[in-house]
Amino acid sequence: MDFEPFRDGVFVDSELGTTPKELPIVYIENIPHNIESGKRPKGGATLKGIPSIGAENIKGLGYYDYSKTKYIPKEYAQTIKKGKINGYELLIYKDGGKPGYFIPNFSIFGEGFPFREMYINEHVFILDLMDNGYNAFAYFYMHTPYIMNQFNSNGGKAAIPGINTKDVECLPIYSKESPYVKRFGEIVLPFIKTILSNSLENARLAKMRDTLLPKLMSGKLKISEIEI
């Protein structure tokens, strides 16, 4: 879709409508950002090493399926310069699915969830807007119908559904200089931190359950012997 220029400091678009001056709109390509994807070594993933996050685990905030985890060798991870997840970047499902059918998914990792050290593979984008609060805002903004339709339209055109860097960078987004956007980030960021921390704790408890349950079932560990 073509966007008309700003008019007297106000952004005007036939579908988005007119935005107030307190909510200026910019394009991602025109603001500080970093977007990159990762890769895996020749021969693919390994059974152990450093977690390599694929599109199958970009399912939303606080979600991660540990049974689908794949790895890259530690030595290989130390040689690659892109694709490391530091925390609170926006993770975007990049490609995959059925021909003509593309539904993007997004996530944010952090607080050690799902891992302390991890990298993305070539099917995932990291988008960092250089501000955790702004990244948090972008996570919810990307779920709006307008942006989802943009991704659906662009991603479904290829024989192998997917989006490229330009598809992300050409998107309009409310400026982080807006007091409303700043306030949104300030309010939401602590909630995201709590979700990620709780998700990590849930994963630890699940691992503990899976470790203890076989011993309980076999009688090797008895509840009556546990002191509280």
Side-chain angles (χ1 to χ4, degrees):
M1 176 175 293
D2 295 327
F3 288 87
E4 300 179 28
F6 288 92
R7 297 177 183 173
D8 299 323
V10 178
F11 187 88
V12 180
D13 175 72
S14 59
E15 186 171 336
L16 288 177
T18 302
T19 62
K21 293 182 178 180
E22 294 82 1
L23 281 171
I25 289 180
V26 295
Y27 294 100
I28 290 177
E29 63 184 349
N30 294 329
I31 60 177
H33 73 283
N34 179 55
I35 182 170
E36 61 188 38
S37 60
K39 60 181 180 178
R40 287 174 177 166
K42 186 176 181 179
T46 57
L47 297 176
K48 60 181 181 178
I50 307 298
S52 175
I53 308 300
E56 66 275 5
N57 266 315
I58 307 302
K59 296 298 182 183
L61 183 62
Y63 290 95
Y64 187 84
D65 187 347
Y66 285 88
S67 68
K68 295 181 179 180
T69 302
K70 296 180 176 62
Y71 302 87
I72 54 176
K74 185 176 182 179
E75 297 76 15
Y76 178 79
Q78 293 173 344
T79 66
I80 55 179
K81 298 180 179 179
K82 295 183 178 181
K84 184 176 182 179
I85 300 174
N86 295 306
Y88 289 94
E89 306 99 332
L90 182 62
L91 304 178
I92 305 174
Y93 177 103
K94 177 183 172 185
D95 54 49
K98 301 177 182 178
Y101 183 78
F102 179 77
I103 297 181
N105 288 303
F106 311 93
S107 192
I108 290 178
F109 293 160
E111 302 301 318
F113 175 79
F115 303 100
R116 291 292 178 185
E117 183 179 4
M118 53 193 157
Y119 292 79
I120 56 171
N121 71 0
E122 61 273 18
H123 301 293
V124 180
F125 274 134
I126 287 178
L127 175 62
D128 187 4
L129 300 177
M130 309 303 179
D131 182 282
N132 288 351
Y134 200 24
N135 287 342
F137 170 81
Y139 172 79
F140 292 98
Y141 174 77
M142 292 292 182
H143 286 84
T144 60
Y146 178 80
I147 299 300
M148 290 292 286
N149 287 337
Q150 289 288 94
F151 277 131
N152 292 153
S153 177
N154 292 332
K157 293 177 181 178
I160 300 177
I163 55 174
N164 57 38
T165 300
K166 189 64 178 178
D167 292 329
V168 178
E169 291 184 322
C170 73
L171 293 174
I173 188 172
Y174 295 110
S175 170
K176 75 172 184 177
E177 301 306 319
S178 165
Y180 299 112
V181 172
K182 289 182 178 179
R183 184 58 179 151
F184 184 95
E186 291 171 355
I187 293 173
V188 170
L189 203 56
F191 288 101
I192 290 180
K193 181 177 181 179
T194 298
I195 290 171
L196 294 173
S197 297
N198 288 345
S199 297
L200 180 60
E201 184 62 20
N202 286 341
R204 287 172 176 167
L205 292 173
K207 186 174 183 180
M208 185 183 299
R209 174 203 63 203
D210 295 341
T211 301
L212 295 177
L213 189 58
K215 294 183 179 180
L216 287 169
M217 296 294 291
S218 65
K220 292 182 179 180
L221 179 65
K222 297 181 180 180
I223 297 294
S224 60
E225 296 176 355
I226 300 177
E227 296 182 4
I228 299 178

